Amino acid sequence: MGRERTTFCELKHRDVVNICNGCMLGTVCDLELDLITGNIISIIVPGENKLLGILKCHDDIIIPFCKINKIGEDVILVDLR
């Protein structure tokens, strides 16, 4: 039987992979929550770094929760067509 709960600290260390092209998008850096229901609306992966990682690009990848196919022990599989 699989694990059904996790913490944000555990979640933010997992790689996010797009199953459509096998591309590694990065690791979770933040969550968007619905404060009324407590549900997760989306996970956020940082955009690409510029200038050798010194300056951060503000084009974070916002992945709606409905696009998550599987949350595994080490990886989160998403379907971004």
Side-chain angles (χ1 to χ4, degrees):
M1 188 160 150
R3 217 173 132 189
E4 296 177 5
R5 291 183 175 199
T6 191
T7 65
F8 176 66
C9 289
E10 293 171 340
L11 194 67
K12 71 179 182 178
H13 295 292
R14 295 186 188 165
D15 293 329
V16 179
V17 176
N18 186 356
I19 62 171
C20 293
N21 59 10
C23 182
M24 214 278 268
L25 301 174
T27 57
V28 176
C29 69
D30 209 349
L31 299 174
E32 183 179 9
L33 304 171
D34 181 319
L35 295 179
I36 304 299
T37 64
N39 293 330
I40 298 173
I41 295 171
S42 60
I43 61 173
I44 301 170
V45 176
E48 292 184 30
N49 291 333
K50 295 187 177 184
L51 292 176
L52 302 174
I54 298 170
L55 297 176
K56 185 176 185 291
C57 175
H58 293 287
D59 294 331
D60 291 341
I61 303 167
I62 299 172
I63 303 167
F65 194 78
C66 64
K67 297 292 185 180
I68 297 174
N69 271 16
K70 177 81 174 166
I71 299 176
E73 291 290 324
D74 299 318
V75 70
I76 299 172
L77 302 176
V78 299
D79 185 355
L80 300 179
R81 297 185 193 271

